[in-house]
Amino acid sequence: MGFSKIAVMCAVFVFSFAGLACAHGHHGHKEKEPKTGILLVSFGTSVSEAEKAMENIEAETKKRFSGIPVKWAYTSGIIRHKLSERGEDIASPAQALADMLEEGFNRIAVQSLHVIPGEEYFALLQEVEAFREIAPDARISLGHPLMYSHQDMQKVAGAVMDASKPYLQKGRAVVLMGHGTHHAGNIYYPGLQDYISRRSNSVLVGTVEGAPTLKQVMSDLKTAQEKKVCLMPLMSVAGDHARNDMAGPEDESWKSRMRAEGFDTTSLLKGLGEDDRFVALWLDHLKNALHEVEHH
Ligand code: CO
């Protein structure tokens, strides 16, 4: 996977160099008319029901930044491959940026739809930086993921509390399933827990691949004497992880493991991208990214 990805990147870079050199040859170095575009970048999903998160994010983006063209890219090569087998072609971030430059966009605000600044976000940042080198006449910015600054954490904790309220009122604790990572950015999950814990003891954050683990979450629930729980994804889409690892029927799913420990569980299969409270926070970052390309 690493090798083919590098090959695609090289191809895209060579292609872009050729295109830009050509443009210079024909038109000289004359300052071009500004042409602004938005590139939304997600990990992607191959689960059709999860696509409504993307549709909602796109609709909200077009509503808030009307008149600015919106393009998409998925970072996951596996997801793009699965989709292309179904006849749906979604670009990689590098391909999408090369295409947009070819189409004459010279003010491009890229928005990360990631939840934390982890491996995926920093890989995207590197690609954006590479394109800034390749296309020095264009301005390309990158909007922060959902959680980045102290202010973001306060807003996300507030939105989590709002989303949890109906379940808390029914006497259920809420357990959020984050993705989690071996990357240092995993600290944002226990970080979010700290912001939430100042508001409620009945809302807990766990992760599939990092810390806190489900085991830790269950131990905290027992300490707090919570027996009824609502599970919800802390991911932009309710895709494979939410449907299988969280709420699936297999013995290893969070639902099954919690039931085996005596918890009464319900699950909410709704990605953060389907909830306008969270989408608005991503779009605040996009607003900053647009400001950066249009006014600097
Ligand atoms: Co995953």
Side-chain angles (χ1 to χ4, degrees):
M1 158 146 166
F3 179 77
S4 67
K5 201 174 168 190
I6 288 163
V8 168
M9 285 288 291
C10 289
V12 166
F13 282 12
V14 168
F15 174 72
S16 303
F17 267 123
L20 289 166
C22 181
H24 279 203
H26 289 300
H27 309 292
H29 285 273
K30 194 167 59 180
E31 186 67 28
K32 280 191 197 153
E33 280 291 296
K35 187 176 174 185
T36 304
I38 290 168
L39 177 62
L40 299 175
V41 180
S42 162
F43 176 79
T45 183
S46 60
V47 178
S48 316
E49 303 97 299
E51 279 172 11
K52 46 179 189 268
M54 313 288 191
E55 286 158 15
N56 185 52
I57 292 168
E58 184 172 323
E60 288 296 306
T61 305
K62 287 178 171 166
K63 206 194 290 174
R64 184 149 160 196
F65 307 104
S66 66
I68 304 179
V70 177
K71 314 271 181 181
W72 276 96
Y74 287 179
T75 57
S76 168
I78 296 166
I79 303 278
R80 289 199 309 274
H81 182 74
K82 274 191 198 169
L83 290 173
S84 77
E85 283 181 336
R86 304 205 297 239
E88 293 170 56
D89 283 312
I90 307 243
S92 65
Q95 188 61 60
L97 282 169
D99 290 348
M100 288 179 84
L101 290 168
E102 273 295 299
E103 288 168 39
F105 287 96
N106 50 18
R107 306 275 188 276
I108 304 173
V110 180
Q111 180 55 48
S112 153
L113 297 174
H114 300 110
V115 173
I116 59 156
E119 201 174 346
E120 296 257 328
Y121 172 76
F122 286 106
L124 180 59
L125 179 59
Q126 279 192 332
E127 292 191 317
V128 165
E129 283 168 352
F131 272 88
R132 282 185 192 138
E133 300 273 321
I134 291 166
D137 296 339
R139 293 180 197 162
I140 310 173
S141 61
L142 175 62
H144 287 151
L146 184 69
M147 298 195 269
Y148 196 85
S149 67
H150 168 64
Q151 285 76 13
D152 296 340
M153 302 310 286
Q154 288 180 311
K155 288 178 194 167
V156 171
V160 164
M161 289 311 301
D162 285 348
S164 302
K165 211 171 167 188
Y167 304 95
L168 297 176
Q169 281 170 344
K170 285 179 207 150
R172 276 187 191 274
V174 169
V175 171
L176 298 153
M177 180 199 247
H179 193 281
T181 171
H182 55 84
H183 187 277
N186 188 82
I187 196 70
Y188 277 83
Y189 296 104
L192 176 62
Q193 182 67 71
D194 184 69
Y195 285 81
I196 289 171
S197 297
R198 291 167 198 279
R199 293 162 168 86
S200 169
N201 291 320
S202 303
V203 180
L204 296 168
V205 180
T207 65
V208 190
E209 291 176 18
T213 60
L214 177 61
K215 208 174 150 192
Q216 285 169 267
V217 167
M218 287 198 287
S219 152
D220 291 345
L221 286 169
K222 283 174 188 168
T223 306
Q225 297 190 313
E226 300 279 5
K227 291 192 172 66
K228 290 164 74 184
V229 173
C230 176
L231 291 165
M232 52 174 86
L234 182 69
M235 300 184 192
S236 59
V237 302
D240 188 50
H241 285 303
R243 279 158 216 276
N244 298 312
D245 300 327
M246 188 182 88
E250 302 79 16
D251 288 349
E252 305 77 42
S253 76
W254 283 25
K255 182 178 88 176
S256 302
R257 286 174 62 195
M258 293 189 89
R259 285 187 178 172
E261 294 278 331
F263 293 100
D264 164 348
T265 69
T266 58
S267 300
L268 181 72
L269 286 178
K270 188 177 169 189
L272 302 179
E274 292 170 67
D275 186 329
D276 291 346
R277 289 172 288 220
F278 293 97
V279 176
L281 303 183
W282 268 300
L283 297 187
D284 287 345
H285 294 317
L286 174 55
K287 189 181 172 219
N288 293 336
L290 278 165
H291 185 85
E292 209 178 307
V293 292
E294 289 182 327
H295 300 283
H296 286 261

